[in-house]
Amino acid sequence: MFFIHPYQSGPMATESLFFTDEEQQYIIEAIQEAEKQTSGEVKVHIEKKCPTPDVMERAKEVFLFLHLHETAERNGVLFYLAYEDRKFAVLGDKGIDEKVTANFWDSTKELLRNHFKAGEYKEGLRHGILEAGLQLKKHFPYQSGDINELPDDISFGQ
């Protein structure tokens, strides 16, 4: 698992107050493009504020809530963003951690950080997701007959 920046549990919302419908579609298209290269599953969860003091604890809660730990190869990835708190995390499942080096997510983390610092959240997520797809392809390439185990939508907290 990789911690980028520290996020609380609570009910999940169904819509974003942060991204427009078009921006959400832009991010979803990045998820779909990334997943064409890998058997890995990518999810994005966005909240206004992190309800816990530790962003990684929140990311772990969301990871379980979204069933990312139930993929066949344990190769799910969560991009978590609490935009008002300016916190984010990228969390990979056990199957990824068993195959990659400790600095596996560094390039993804830097892409996100650089875009987020500039206020480019949509672009940051898109580029980070695409980078994750490239990274995952090395260890979990797309296989013929691969099924999409989780929906490619964005989930939202409160």
Side-chain angles (χ1 to χ4, degrees):
M1 288 183 238
F2 182 79
F3 162 77
I4 298 180
H5 276 62
Y7 238 102
Q8 164 183 330
S9 63
M12 301 291 168
T14 57
E15 60 184 51
S16 173
L17 301 175
F18 189 62
F19 288 118
T20 67
D21 288 345
E22 293 79 20
E23 290 170 329
Q24 291 176 56
Q25 188 57 42
Y26 183 75
I27 294 165
I28 290 168
E29 288 170 2
I31 293 169
Q32 293 167 338
E33 188 175 333
E35 288 184 357
K36 286 180 186 175
Q37 303 179 68
T38 177
S39 62
E41 294 290 328
V42 178
K43 292 295 290 182
V44 173
H45 183 80
I46 300 168
E47 296 182 317
K48 189 174 185 177
K49 293 184 171 280
C50 180
T52 61
D54 181 356
V55 72
M56 275 312 282
E57 287 308 310
R58 177 57 176 161
K60 289 175 187 176
E61 291 173 355
V62 171
F63 195 92
L64 295 174
F65 180 83
L66 296 175
H67 303 282
L68 279 157
H69 63 294
E70 295 177 6
T71 61
E73 295 186 67
R74 299 292 303 262
N75 59 355
V77 177
L78 173 66
F79 285 79
Y80 175 84
L81 170 64
Y83 57 89
E84 272 196 7
D85 289 337
R86 302 178 61 99
K87 296 179 181 180
F88 68 98
V90 176
L91 182 62
D93 204 356
K94 178 181 177 179
I96 298 169
D97 287 345
E98 291 172 350
K99 292 188 177 192
V100 302
T101 61
N103 64 351
F104 180 73
W105 293 110
D106 286 352
S107 60
T108 305
K109 172 188 74 170
E110 287 307 310
L111 269 173
L112 290 168
R113 182 178 290 135
N114 290 335
H115 282 283
F116 290 175
K117 278 184 179 178
E120 301 168 347
Y121 293 97
K122 172 187 75 167
E123 291 299 326
L125 284 170
R126 180 171 178 81
H127 290 293
I129 291 164
L130 294 174
E131 175 67 18
L134 291 173
Q135 294 290 332
L136 288 172
K137 179 181 177 181
K138 297 173 188 176
H139 300 280
F140 301 96
Y142 179 85
Q143 303 292 324
S144 177
D146 181 58
I147 60 166
N148 192 10
E149 297 179 77
L150 299 169
D152 296 334
D153 59 353
I154 301 170
S155 64
F156 302 96
Q158 300 205 355

PDB file of all heavy atoms in Angstrom, residues 17-53:
ATOM      1  N   LEU A  17     -20.033  17.659  -6.044  1.00  0.00           N
ATOM      2  CA  LEU A  17     -20.187  19.105  -6.023  1.00  0.00           C
ATOM      3  C   LEU A  17     -18.898  19.765  -6.511  1.00  0.00           C
ATOM      4  O   LEU A  17     -18.809  20.976  -6.579  1.00  0.00           O
ATOM      5  CB  LEU A  17     -20.514  19.574  -4.608  1.00  0.00           C
ATOM      6  CG  LEU A  17     -21.770  18.993  -3.984  1.00  0.00           C
ATOM      7  CD1 LEU A  17     -21.917  19.434  -2.537  1.00  0.00           C
ATOM      8  CD2 LEU A  17     -22.996  19.398  -4.780  1.00  0.00           C
ATOM      9  N   PHE A  18     -17.920  18.938  -6.845  1.00  0.00           N
ATOM     10  CA  PHE A  18     -16.600  19.421  -7.209  1.00  0.00           C
ATOM     11  C   PHE A  18     -16.361  19.354  -8.719  1.00  0.00           C
ATOM     12  O   PHE A  18     -15.818  20.286  -9.304  1.00  0.00           O
ATOM     13  CB  PHE A  18     -15.549  18.606  -6.463  1.00  0.00           C
ATOM     14  CG  PHE A  18     -14.152  19.127  -6.590  1.00  0.00           C
ATOM     15  CD1 PHE A  18     -13.814  20.388  -6.125  1.00  0.00           C
ATOM     16  CD2 PHE A  18     -13.165  18.353  -7.164  1.00  0.00           C
ATOM     17  CE1 PHE A  18     -12.515  20.868  -6.238  1.00  0.00           C
ATOM     18  CE2 PHE A  18     -11.866  18.817  -7.272  1.00  0.00           C
ATOM     19  CZ  PHE A  18     -11.549  20.083  -6.817  1.00  0.00           C
ATOM     20  N   PHE A  19     -16.752  18.251  -9.354  1.00  0.00           N
ATOM     21  CA  PHE A  19     -16.557  18.072 -10.787  1.00  0.00           C
ATOM     22  C   PHE A  19     -17.895  18.146 -11.523  1.00  0.00           C
ATOM     23  O   PHE A  19     -18.888  17.609 -11.056  1.00  0.00           O
ATOM     24  CB  PHE A  19     -15.926  16.707 -11.084  1.00  0.00           C
ATOM     25  CG  PHE A  19     -14.475  16.598 -10.689  1.00  0.00           C
ATOM     26  CD1 PHE A  19     -14.083  15.687  -9.733  1.00  0.00           C
ATOM     27  CD2 PHE A  19     -13.511  17.385 -11.285  1.00  0.00           C
ATOM     28  CE1 PHE A  19     -12.754  15.565  -9.359  1.00  0.00           C
ATOM     29  CE2 PHE A  19     -12.173  17.273 -10.924  1.00  0.00           C
ATOM     30  CZ  PHE A  19     -11.794  16.366  -9.963  1.00  0.00           C
ATOM     31  N   THR A  20     -17.884  18.762 -12.671  1.00  0.00           N
ATOM     32  CA  THR A  20     -19.074  18.763 -13.523  1.00  0.00           C
ATOM     33  C   THR A  20     -19.261  17.372 -14.114  1.00  0.00           C
ATOM     34  O   THR A  20     -18.351  16.521 -14.043  1.00  0.00           O
ATOM     35  CB  THR A  20     -18.910  19.769 -14.684  1.00  0.00           C
ATOM     36  OG1 THR A  20     -17.863  19.291 -15.552  1.00  0.00           O
ATOM     37  CG2 THR A  20     -18.604  21.175 -14.184  1.00  0.00           C
ATOM     38  N   ASP A  21     -20.415  17.142 -14.728  1.00  0.00           N
ATOM     39  CA  ASP A  21     -20.663  15.860 -15.385  1.00  0.00           C
ATOM     40  C   ASP A  21     -19.614  15.594 -16.469  1.00  0.00           C
ATOM     41  O   ASP A  21     -19.139  14.465 -16.615  1.00  0.00           O
ATOM     42  CB  ASP A  21     -22.061  15.829 -16.012  1.00  0.00           C
ATOM     43  CG  ASP A  21     -23.169  15.743 -14.970  1.00  0.00           C
ATOM     44  OD1 ASP A  21     -22.881  15.425 -13.790  1.00  0.00           O
ATOM     45  OD2 ASP A  21     -24.336  16.005 -15.343  1.00  0.00           O
ATOM     46  N   GLU A  22     -19.258  16.618 -17.214  1.00  0.00           N
ATOM     47  CA  GLU A  22     -18.265  16.467 -18.278  1.00  0.00           C
ATOM     48  C   GLU A  22     -16.890  16.126 -17.701  1.00  0.00           C
ATOM     49  O   GLU A  22     -16.175  15.290 -18.252  1.00  0.00           O
ATOM     50  CB  GLU A  22     -18.168  17.745 -19.124  1.00  0.00           C
ATOM     51  CG  GLU A  22     -19.400  18.042 -19.938  1.00  0.00           C
ATOM     52  CD  GLU A  22     -20.530  18.685 -19.126  1.00  0.00           C
ATOM     53  OE1 GLU A  22     -20.287  19.264 -18.032  1.00  0.00           O
ATOM     54  OE2 GLU A  22     -21.686  18.594 -19.583  1.00  0.00           O
ATOM     55  N   GLU A  23     -16.530  16.761 -16.606  1.00  0.00           N
ATOM     56  CA  GLU A  23     -15.243  16.463 -15.969  1.00  0.00           C
ATOM     57  C   GLU A  23     -15.228  15.045 -15.412  1.00  0.00           C
ATOM     58  O   GLU A  23     -14.224  14.342 -15.507  1.00  0.00           O
ATOM     59  CB  GLU A  23     -14.963  17.482 -14.864  1.00  0.00           C
ATOM     60  CG  GLU A  23     -14.667  18.864 -15.400  1.00  0.00           C
ATOM     61  CD  GLU A  23     -14.628  19.926 -14.317  1.00  0.00           C
ATOM     62  OE1 GLU A  23     -15.342  19.805 -13.300  1.00  0.00           O
ATOM     63  OE2 GLU A  23     -13.858  20.897 -14.497  1.00  0.00           O
ATOM     64  N   GLN A  24     -16.355  14.621 -14.844  1.00  0.00           N
ATOM     65  CA  GLN A  24     -16.442  13.251 -14.352  1.00  0.00           C
ATOM     66  C   GLN A  24     -16.271  12.263 -15.497  1.00  0.00           C
ATOM     67  O   GLN A  24     -15.551  11.264 -15.364  1.00  0.00           O
ATOM     68  CB  GLN A  24     -17.773  13.016 -13.655  1.00  0.00           C
ATOM     69  CG  GLN A  24     -17.908  13.754 -12.345  1.00  0.00           C
ATOM     70  CD  GLN A  24     -19.275  13.567 -11.738  1.00  0.00           C
ATOM     71  OE1 GLN A  24     -19.699  12.443 -11.529  1.00  0.00           O
ATOM     72  NE2 GLN A  24     -19.960  14.664 -11.464  1.00  0.00           N
ATOM     73  N   GLN A  25     -16.904  12.530 -16.610  1.00  0.00           N
ATOM     74  CA  GLN A  25     -16.784  11.636 -17.772  1.00  0.00           C
ATOM     75  C   GLN A  25     -15.339  11.579 -18.254  1.00  0.00           C
ATOM     76  O   GLN A  25     -14.848  10.522 -18.651  1.00  0.00           O
ATOM     77  CB  GLN A  25     -17.720  12.084 -18.899  1.00  0.00           C
ATOM     78  CG  GLN A  25     -17.788  11.096 -20.048  1.00  0.00           C
ATOM     79  CD  GLN A  25     -18.211   9.699 -19.619  1.00  0.00           C
ATOM     80  OE1 GLN A  25     -19.105   9.524 -18.807  1.00  0.00           O
ATOM     81  NE2 GLN A  25     -17.547   8.694 -20.165  1.00  0.00           N
ATOM     82  N   TYR A  26     -14.650  12.691 -18.221  1.00  0.00           N
ATOM     83  CA  TYR A  26     -13.244  12.773 -18.607  1.00  0.00           C
ATOM     84  C   TYR A  26     -12.398  11.840 -17.728  1.00  0.00           C
ATOM     85  O   TYR A  26     -11.520  11.130 -18.226  1.00  0.00           O
ATOM     86  CB  TYR A  26     -12.810  14.237 -18.460  1.00  0.00           C
ATOM     87  CG  TYR A  26     -11.416  14.575 -18.874  1.00  0.00           C
ATOM     88  CD1 TYR A  26     -11.070  14.664 -20.214  1.00  0.00           C
ATOM     89  CD2 TYR A  26     -10.456  14.882 -17.913  1.00  0.00           C
ATOM     90  CE1 TYR A  26      -9.788  15.027 -20.602  1.00  0.00           C
ATOM     91  CE2 TYR A  26      -9.172  15.245 -18.290  1.00  0.00           C
ATOM     92  CZ  TYR A  26      -8.844  15.313 -19.633  1.00  0.00           C
ATOM     93  OH  TYR A  26      -7.571  15.679 -19.999  1.00  0.00           O
ATOM     94  N   ILE A  27     -12.673  11.826 -16.444  1.00  0.00           N
ATOM     95  CA  ILE A  27     -11.951  10.959 -15.510  1.00  0.00           C
ATOM     96  C   ILE A  27     -12.341   9.495 -15.736  1.00  0.00           C
ATOM     97  O   ILE A  27     -11.479   8.604 -15.739  1.00  0.00           O
ATOM     98  CB  ILE A  27     -12.214  11.404 -14.060  1.00  0.00           C
ATOM     99  CG1 ILE A  27     -11.614  12.797 -13.820  1.00  0.00           C
ATOM    100  CG2 ILE A  27     -11.649  10.389 -13.064  1.00  0.00           C
ATOM    101  CD1 ILE A  27     -12.109  13.492 -12.560  1.00  0.00           C
ATOM    102  N   ILE A  28     -13.609   9.230 -15.936  1.00  0.00           N
ATOM    103  CA  ILE A  28     -14.071   7.855 -16.187  1.00  0.00           C
ATOM    104  C   ILE A  28     -13.430   7.300 -17.459  1.00  0.00           C
ATOM    105  O   ILE A  28     -13.026   6.134 -17.508  1.00  0.00           O
ATOM    106  CB  ILE A  28     -15.611   7.809 -16.253  1.00  0.00           C
ATOM    107  CG1 ILE A  28     -16.190   8.046 -14.852  1.00  0.00           C
ATOM    108  CG2 ILE A  28     -16.100   6.481 -16.838  1.00  0.00           C
ATOM    109  CD1 ILE A  28     -17.688   8.300 -14.820  1.00  0.00           C
ATOM    110  N   GLU A  29     -13.308   8.127 -18.482  1.00  0.00           N
ATOM    111  CA  GLU A  29     -12.652   7.685 -19.717  1.00  0.00           C
ATOM    112  C   GLU A  29     -11.193   7.315 -19.453  1.00  0.00           C
ATOM    113  O   GLU A  29     -10.667   6.377 -20.064  1.00  0.00           O
ATOM    114  CB  GLU A  29     -12.764   8.755 -20.791  1.00  0.00           C
ATOM    115  CG  GLU A  29     -14.172   8.876 -21.340  1.00  0.00           C
ATOM    116  CD  GLU A  29     -14.391  10.093 -22.230  1.00  0.00           C
ATOM    117  OE1 GLU A  29     -13.415  10.856 -22.474  1.00  0.00           O
ATOM    118  OE2 GLU A  29     -15.541  10.296 -22.668  1.00  0.00           O
ATOM    119  N   ALA A  30     -10.539   8.012 -18.542  1.00  0.00           N
ATOM    120  CA  ALA A  30      -9.168   7.661 -18.174  1.00  0.00           C
ATOM    121  C   ALA A  30      -9.134   6.300 -17.477  1.00  0.00           C
ATOM    122  O   ALA A  30      -8.241   5.485 -17.735  1.00  0.00           O
ATOM    123  CB  ALA A  30      -8.558   8.736 -17.267  1.00  0.00           C
ATOM    124  N   ILE A  31     -10.090   6.039 -16.603  1.00  0.00           N
ATOM    125  CA  ILE A  31     -10.176   4.736 -15.940  1.00  0.00           C
ATOM    126  C   ILE A  31     -10.334   3.639 -16.991  1.00  0.00           C
ATOM    127  O   ILE A  31      -9.617   2.622 -16.968  1.00  0.00           O
ATOM    128  CB  ILE A  31     -11.354   4.700 -14.938  1.00  0.00           C
ATOM    129  CG1 ILE A  31     -11.110   5.652 -13.770  1.00  0.00           C
ATOM    130  CG2 ILE A  31     -11.597   3.265 -14.435  1.00  0.00           C
ATOM    131  CD1 ILE A  31     -12.327   5.880 -12.877  1.00  0.00           C
ATOM    132  N   GLN A  32     -11.230   3.842 -17.925  1.00  0.00           N
ATOM    133  CA  GLN A  32     -11.472   2.840 -18.964  1.00  0.00           C
ATOM    134  C   GLN A  32     -10.247   2.630 -19.840  1.00  0.00           C
ATOM    135  O   GLN A  32      -9.903   1.503 -20.183  1.00  0.00           O
ATOM    136  CB  GLN A  32     -12.688   3.255 -19.802  1.00  0.00           C
ATOM    137  CG  GLN A  32     -13.969   3.207 -18.993  1.00  0.00           C
ATOM    138  CD  GLN A  32     -15.147   3.895 -19.658  1.00  0.00           C
ATOM    139  OE1 GLN A  32     -14.982   4.755 -20.530  1.00  0.00           O
ATOM    140  NE2 GLN A  32     -16.344   3.522 -19.239  1.00  0.00           N
ATOM    141  N   GLU A  33      -9.569   3.701 -20.175  1.00  0.00           N
ATOM    142  CA  GLU A  33      -8.356   3.595 -20.988  1.00  0.00           C
ATOM    143  C   GLU A  33      -7.254   2.856 -20.231  1.00  0.00           C
ATOM    144  O   GLU A  33      -6.581   1.989 -20.791  1.00  0.00           O
ATOM    145  CB  GLU A  33      -7.872   4.988 -21.404  1.00  0.00           C
ATOM    146  CG  GLU A  33      -6.733   4.960 -22.391  1.00  0.00           C
ATOM    147  CD  GLU A  33      -6.353   6.344 -22.881  1.00  0.00           C
ATOM    148  OE1 GLU A  33      -7.203   7.248 -22.893  1.00  0.00           O
ATOM    149  OE2 GLU A  33      -5.183   6.511 -23.281  1.00  0.00           O
ATOM    150  N   ALA A  34      -7.078   3.185 -18.960  1.00  0.00           N
ATOM    151  CA  ALA A  34      -6.053   2.511 -18.155  1.00  0.00           C
ATOM    152  C   ALA A  34      -6.349   1.025 -18.031  1.00  0.00           C
ATOM    153  O   ALA A  34      -5.443   0.179 -18.126  1.00  0.00           O
ATOM    154  CB  ALA A  34      -5.966   3.149 -16.765  1.00  0.00           C
ATOM    155  N   GLU A  35      -7.610   0.674 -17.827  1.00  0.00           N
ATOM    156  CA  GLU A  35      -7.977  -0.724 -17.628  1.00  0.00           C
ATOM    157  C   GLU A  35      -7.906  -1.547 -18.908  1.00  0.00           C
ATOM    158  O   GLU A  35      -7.920  -2.776 -18.845  1.00  0.00           O
ATOM    159  CB  GLU A  35      -9.361  -0.823 -16.989  1.00  0.00           C
ATOM    160  CG  GLU A  35      -9.349  -0.397 -15.535  1.00  0.00           C
ATOM    161  CD  GLU A  35     -10.690  -0.581 -14.842  1.00  0.00           C
ATOM    162  OE1 GLU A  35     -11.674  -0.988 -15.502  1.00  0.00           O
ATOM    163  OE2 GLU A  35     -10.759  -0.319 -13.632  1.00  0.00           O
ATOM    164  N   LYS A  36      -7.785  -0.906 -20.065  1.00  0.00           N
ATOM    165  CA  LYS A  36      -7.593  -1.642 -21.316  1.00  0.00           C
ATOM    166  C   LYS A  36      -6.199  -2.257 -21.382  1.00  0.00           C
ATOM    167  O   LYS A  36      -5.956  -3.156 -22.175  1.00  0.00           O
ATOM    168  CB  LYS A  36      -7.780  -0.714 -22.519  1.00  0.00           C
ATOM    169  CG  LYS A  36      -9.215  -0.355 -22.797  1.00  0.00           C
ATOM    170  CD  LYS A  36      -9.297   0.562 -23.999  1.00  0.00           C
ATOM    171  CE  LYS A  36     -10.720   1.045 -24.210  1.00  0.00           C
ATOM    172  NZ  LYS A  36     -10.794   2.029 -25.297  1.00  0.00           N
ATOM    173  N   GLN A  37      -5.279  -1.762 -20.558  1.00  0.00           N
ATOM    174  CA  GLN A  37      -3.901  -2.219 -20.590  1.00  0.00           C
ATOM    175  C   GLN A  37      -3.572  -3.235 -19.508  1.00  0.00           C
ATOM    176  O   GLN A  37      -2.502  -3.827 -19.516  1.00  0.00           O
ATOM    177  CB  GLN A  37      -2.965  -1.027 -20.408  1.00  0.00           C
ATOM    178  CG  GLN A  37      -3.170   0.063 -21.430  1.00  0.00           C
ATOM    179  CD  GLN A  37      -2.242   1.208 -21.163  1.00  0.00           C
ATOM    180  OE1 GLN A  37      -1.037   1.065 -21.320  1.00  0.00           O
ATOM    181  NE2 GLN A  37      -2.788   2.338 -20.750  1.00  0.00           N
ATOM    182  N   THR A  38      -4.473  -3.396 -18.539  1.00  0.00           N
ATOM    183  CA  THR A  38      -4.160  -4.198 -17.361  1.00  0.00           C
ATOM    184  C   THR A  38      -5.390  -4.955 -16.878  1.00  0.00           C
ATOM    185  O   THR A  38      -6.522  -4.535 -17.139  1.00  0.00           O
ATOM    186  CB  THR A  38      -3.619  -3.297 -16.226  1.00  0.00           C
ATOM    187  OG1 THR A  38      -3.377  -4.096 -15.065  1.00  0.00           O
ATOM    188  CG2 THR A  38      -4.579  -2.179 -15.867  1.00  0.00           C
ATOM    189  N   SER A  39      -5.138  -6.031 -16.158  1.00  0.00           N
ATOM    190  CA  SER A  39      -6.246  -6.734 -15.501  1.00  0.00           C
ATOM    191  C   SER A  39      -6.597  -6.044 -14.186  1.00  0.00           C
ATOM    192  O   SER A  39      -7.569  -6.417 -13.537  1.00  0.00           O
ATOM    193  CB  SER A  39      -5.868  -8.197 -15.245  1.00  0.00           C
ATOM    194  OG  SER A  39      -4.758  -8.278 -14.368  1.00  0.00           O
ATOM    195  N   GLY A  40      -5.825  -5.062 -13.797  1.00  0.00           N
ATOM    196  CA  GLY A  40      -6.081  -4.308 -12.572  1.00  0.00           C
ATOM    197  C   GLY A  40      -7.364  -3.502 -12.668  1.00  0.00           C
ATOM    198  O   GLY A  40      -7.860  -3.208 -13.759  1.00  0.00           O
ATOM    199  N   GLU A  41      -7.898  -3.149 -11.503  1.00  0.00           N
ATOM    200  CA  GLU A  41      -9.121  -2.353 -11.412  1.00  0.00           C
ATOM    201  C   GLU A  41      -8.791  -1.022 -10.752  1.00  0.00           C
ATOM    202  O   GLU A  41      -8.103  -0.985  -9.731  1.00  0.00           O
ATOM    203  CB  GLU A  41     -10.177  -3.080 -10.585  1.00  0.00           C
ATOM    204  CG  GLU A  41     -10.672  -4.354 -11.234  1.00  0.00           C
ATOM    205  CD  GLU A  41     -11.523  -4.119 -12.466  1.00  0.00           C
ATOM    206  OE1 GLU A  41     -12.232  -3.097 -12.524  1.00  0.00           O
ATOM    207  OE2 GLU A  41     -11.479  -4.963 -13.375  1.00  0.00           O
ATOM    208  N   VAL A  42      -9.284   0.059 -11.329  1.00  0.00           N
ATOM    209  CA  VAL A  42      -9.013   1.408 -10.829  1.00  0.00           C
ATOM    210  C   VAL A  42     -10.324   2.049 -10.394  1.00  0.00           C
ATOM    211  O   VAL A  42     -11.312   2.006 -11.123  1.00  0.00           O
ATOM    212  CB  VAL A  42      -8.342   2.280 -11.912  1.00  0.00           C
ATOM    213  CG1 VAL A  42      -8.117   3.696 -11.400  1.00  0.00           C
ATOM    214  CG2 VAL A  42      -7.039   1.645 -12.382  1.00  0.00           C
ATOM    215  N   LYS A  43     -10.311   2.626  -9.208  1.00  0.00           N
ATOM    216  CA  LYS A  43     -11.474   3.365  -8.699  1.00  0.00           C
ATOM    217  C   LYS A  43     -11.016   4.738  -8.230  1.00  0.00           C
ATOM    218  O   LYS A  43      -9.887   4.910  -7.771  1.00  0.00           O
ATOM    219  CB  LYS A  43     -12.124   2.638  -7.527  1.00  0.00           C
ATOM    220  CG  LYS A  43     -12.807   1.336  -7.873  1.00  0.00           C
ATOM    221  CD  LYS A  43     -14.001   1.510  -8.782  1.00  0.00           C
ATOM    222  CE  LYS A  43     -15.152   2.164  -8.090  1.00  0.00           C
ATOM    223  NZ  LYS A  43     -16.349   2.303  -8.921  1.00  0.00           N
ATOM    224  N   VAL A  44     -11.930   5.704  -8.315  1.00  0.00           N
ATOM    225  CA  VAL A  44     -11.691   7.058  -7.823  1.00  0.00           C
ATOM    226  C   VAL A  44     -12.792   7.380  -6.825  1.00  0.00           C
ATOM    227  O   VAL A  44     -13.967   7.150  -7.089  1.00  0.00           O
ATOM    228  CB  VAL A  44     -11.710   8.084  -8.979  1.00  0.00           C
ATOM    229  CG1 VAL A  44     -11.627   9.508  -8.434  1.00  0.00           C
ATOM    230  CG2 VAL A  44     -10.582   7.809  -9.967  1.00  0.00           C
ATOM    231  N   HIS A  45     -12.388   7.901  -5.671  1.00  0.00           N
ATOM    232  CA  HIS A  45     -13.343   8.342  -4.657  1.00  0.00           C
ATOM    233  C   HIS A  45     -12.996   9.775  -4.272  1.00  0.00           C
ATOM    234  O   HIS A  45     -11.838  10.087  -3.970  1.00  0.00           O
ATOM    235  CB  HIS A  45     -13.291   7.447  -3.417  1.00  0.00           C
ATOM    236  CG  HIS A  45     -14.312   7.820  -2.398  1.00  0.00           C
ATOM    237  ND1 HIS A  45     -15.631   7.435  -2.497  1.00  0.00           N
ATOM    238  CD2 HIS A  45     -14.215   8.571  -1.270  1.00  0.00           C
ATOM    239  CE1 HIS A  45     -16.307   7.918  -1.460  1.00  0.00           C
ATOM    240  NE2 HIS A  45     -15.470   8.615  -0.709  1.00  0.00           N
ATOM    241  N   ILE A  46     -14.028  10.634  -4.278  1.00  0.00           N
ATOM    242  CA  ILE A  46     -13.818  12.057  -4.025  1.00  0.00           C
ATOM    243  C   ILE A  46     -14.719  12.514  -2.888  1.00  0.00           C
ATOM    244  O   ILE A  46     -15.912  12.192  -2.866  1.00  0.00           O
ATOM    245  CB  ILE A  46     -14.123  12.875  -5.295  1.00  0.00           C
ATOM    246  CG1 ILE A  46     -13.197  12.415  -6.427  1.00  0.00           C
ATOM    247  CG2 ILE A  46     -13.981  14.366  -5.025  1.00  0.00           C
ATOM    248  CD1 ILE A  46     -13.587  12.936  -7.790  1.00  0.00           C
ATOM    249  N   GLU A  47     -14.129  13.252  -1.966  1.00  0.00           N
ATOM    250  CA  GLU A  47     -14.875  13.835  -0.852  1.00  0.00           C
ATOM    251  C   GLU A  47     -14.439  15.272  -0.658  1.00  0.00           C
ATOM    252  O   GLU A  47     -13.327  15.645  -1.016  1.00  0.00           O
ATOM    253  CB  GLU A  47     -14.616  13.054   0.445  1.00  0.00           C
ATOM    254  CG  GLU A  47     -15.113  11.637   0.370  1.00  0.00           C
ATOM    255  CD  GLU A  47     -14.909  10.868   1.649  1.00  0.00           C
ATOM    256  OE1 GLU A  47     -13.835  10.959   2.269  1.00  0.00           O
ATOM    257  OE2 GLU A  47     -15.854  10.173   2.024  1.00  0.00           O
ATOM    258  N   LYS A  48     -15.322  16.043  -0.060  1.00  0.00           N
ATOM    259  CA  LYS A  48     -15.008  17.433   0.258  1.00  0.00           C
ATOM    260  C   LYS A  48     -13.943  17.487   1.346  1.00  0.00           C
ATOM    261  O   LYS A  48     -12.962  18.198   1.234  1.00  0.00           O
ATOM    262  CB  LYS A  48     -16.292  18.123   0.709  1.00  0.00           C
ATOM    263  CG  LYS A  48     -16.200  19.598   0.877  1.00  0.00           C
ATOM    264  CD  LYS A  48     -17.588  20.173   1.179  1.00  0.00           C
ATOM    265  CE  LYS A  48     -17.537  21.667   1.240  1.00  0.00           C
ATOM    266  NZ  LYS A  48     -18.879  22.229   1.456  1.00  0.00           N
ATOM    267  N   LYS A  49     -14.185  16.731   2.426  1.00  0.00           N
ATOM    268  CA  LYS A  49     -13.267  16.704   3.567  1.00  0.00           C
ATOM    269  C   LYS A  49     -12.988  15.269   3.971  1.00  0.00           C
ATOM    270  O   LYS A  49     -13.842  14.402   3.831  1.00  0.00           O
ATOM    271  CB  LYS A  49     -13.858  17.437   4.752  1.00  0.00           C
ATOM    272  CG  LYS A  49     -14.005  18.933   4.547  1.00  0.00           C
ATOM    273  CD  LYS A  49     -14.512  19.590   5.823  1.00  0.00           C
ATOM    274  CE  LYS A  49     -14.448  21.088   5.704  1.00  0.00           C
ATOM    275  NZ  LYS A  49     -13.138  21.637   5.928  1.00  0.00           N
ATOM    276  N   CYS A  50     -11.825  15.047   4.492  1.00  0.00           N
ATOM    277  CA  CYS A  50     -11.464  13.743   5.021  1.00  0.00           C
ATOM    278  C   CYS A  50     -12.027  13.646   6.440  1.00  0.00           C
ATOM    279  O   CYS A  50     -11.674  14.454   7.293  1.00  0.00           O
ATOM    280  CB  CYS A  50      -9.947  13.589   5.051  1.00  0.00           C
ATOM    281  SG  CYS A  50      -9.408  11.997   5.679  1.00  0.00           S
ATOM    282  N   PRO A  51     -12.904  12.657   6.682  1.00  0.00           N
ATOM    283  CA  PRO A  51     -13.538  12.580   7.992  1.00  0.00           C
ATOM    284  C   PRO A  51     -12.667  11.959   9.090  1.00  0.00           C
ATOM    285  O   PRO A  51     -13.096  11.884  10.231  1.00  0.00           O
ATOM    286  CB  PRO A  51     -14.782  11.731   7.733  1.00  0.00           C
ATOM    287  CG  PRO A  51     -14.442  10.936   6.538  1.00  0.00           C
ATOM    288  CD  PRO A  51     -13.475  11.730   5.734  1.00  0.00           C
ATOM    289  N   THR A  52     -11.445  11.537   8.752  1.00  0.00           N
ATOM    290  CA  THR A  52     -10.526  10.992   9.755  1.00  0.00           C
ATOM    291  C   THR A  52      -9.244  11.821   9.740  1.00  0.00           C
ATOM    292  O   THR A  52      -8.911  12.440   8.727  1.00  0.00           O
ATOM    293  CB  THR A  52     -10.175   9.517   9.467  1.00  0.00           C
ATOM    294  OG1 THR A  52      -9.527   9.445   8.191  1.00  0.00           O
ATOM    295  CG2 THR A  52     -11.406   8.641   9.471  1.00  0.00           C
ATOM    296  N   PRO A  53      -8.514  11.818  10.828  1.00  0.00           N
ATOM    297  CA  PRO A  53      -7.253  12.578  10.845  1.00  0.00           C
ATOM    298  C   PRO A  53      -6.204  12.007   9.882  1.00  0.00           C
ATOM    299  O   PRO A  53      -5.375  12.734   9.372  1.00  0.00           O
ATOM    300  CB  PRO A  53      -6.758  12.446  12.287  1.00  0.00           C
ATOM    301  CG  PRO A  53      -7.926  11.969  13.076  1.00  0.00           C
ATOM    302  CD  PRO A  53      -8.840  11.262  12.137  1.00  0.00           C
TER     303      PRO A  53
END
